[in-house]
Amino acid sequence: MKIAIGNDHAAVEMKKEICAFLEELGHEVINFGTDTGESVNYPVYGEKVGRAVASREADCGIAICGTGVGISLAANKVKGIRAVVCSEPYSAKLAKLHNNANVLCFGARVIGIELAKMIVTEWLNAEFEGGRHADRVNMIMEIENR
Ligand code: RB5
């Protein structure tokens, strides 16, 4: 898969490790994040990841900041984006199975790299179940048109 990744200054090291992990798994990574520790604004990177996914430049996205919260809020402002913050694998898996989340977010100041890898793995490996969940996801997306 082609995966867009974005991060602010709080998540440079975790981003690098997640990129290496994704590439080891055979994915192509498009890096939209900052690569230095200089303070930057997370909305910029959340939007970049969101736009890459919404335009289908990427199949899905991963966005990391200190908590995962701010960058997810920014990504969710892009039409077509369903960004979720996950700090454990169960929610990450269900976020794909039931919610078809297309951007996964987490916090580099909240979880460690091994847990982050487990969260990424569960989310990437899960497939949207459709059916009644598709109806509900469609209801969410219709909110964008009102
Ligand atoms: C940056 O200090 C921090 O606010 C940011 O990484 C993130 O946690 C925001 O939600």
Side-chain angles (χ1 to χ4, degrees), residues 8-11 39-40 42 64-71 109:
D8 72 358
H9 55 281
S39 184
V40 292
Y42 59 80
I64 321 169
C65 63
T67 59
V69 173
I71 206 160
R109 293 173 178 162

Side-chain angles (χ1 to χ4, degrees), residues 1-128:
M1 274 201 285
K2 246 188 206 177
I3 303 176
I5 192 157
N7 62 283
D8 72 358
H9 55 281
V12 173
E13 288 313 311
M14 183 170 275
K15 186 275 297 287
K16 287 180 184 165
E17 292 190 68
I18 293 294
C19 283
F21 178 64
L22 292 170
E23 283 167 353
E24 272 168 35
L25 293 174
H27 298 291
E28 185 185 331
V29 176
I30 315 173
N31 178 19
F32 290 100
T34 184
D35 287 305
T36 75
E38 190 186 331
S39 184
V40 292
N41 300 315
Y42 59 80
V44 171
Y45 304 95
E47 181 178 358
K48 281 178 192 282
V49 171
R51 294 215 180 278
V53 175
S55 69
R56 300 187 193 276
E57 179 183 355
D59 298 306
C60 62
I62 294 177
I64 321 169
C65 63
T67 59
V69 173
I71 206 160
S72 72
L73 291 171
N76 270 320
K77 291 295 179 187
V78 177
K79 192 169 182 178
I81 293 305
R82 293 175 300 282
V84 289
V85 187
C86 294
S87 299
E88 36 75 30
Y90 178 78
S91 298
K93 181 175 179 173
L94 269 290
K96 182 68 79 57
L97 292 178
H98 289 188
N99 314 115
N100 204 15
N102 51 12
V103 176
L104 174 69
C105 307
F106 43 86
R109 293 173 178 162
V110 179
I111 60 171
I113 185 62
E114 294 308 322
L115 185 52
K117 286 179 188 173
M118 287 177 74
I119 288 167
V120 167
T121 301
E122 289 294 327
W123 181 68
L124 286 177
N125 288 346
E127 276 186 38
F128 182 47

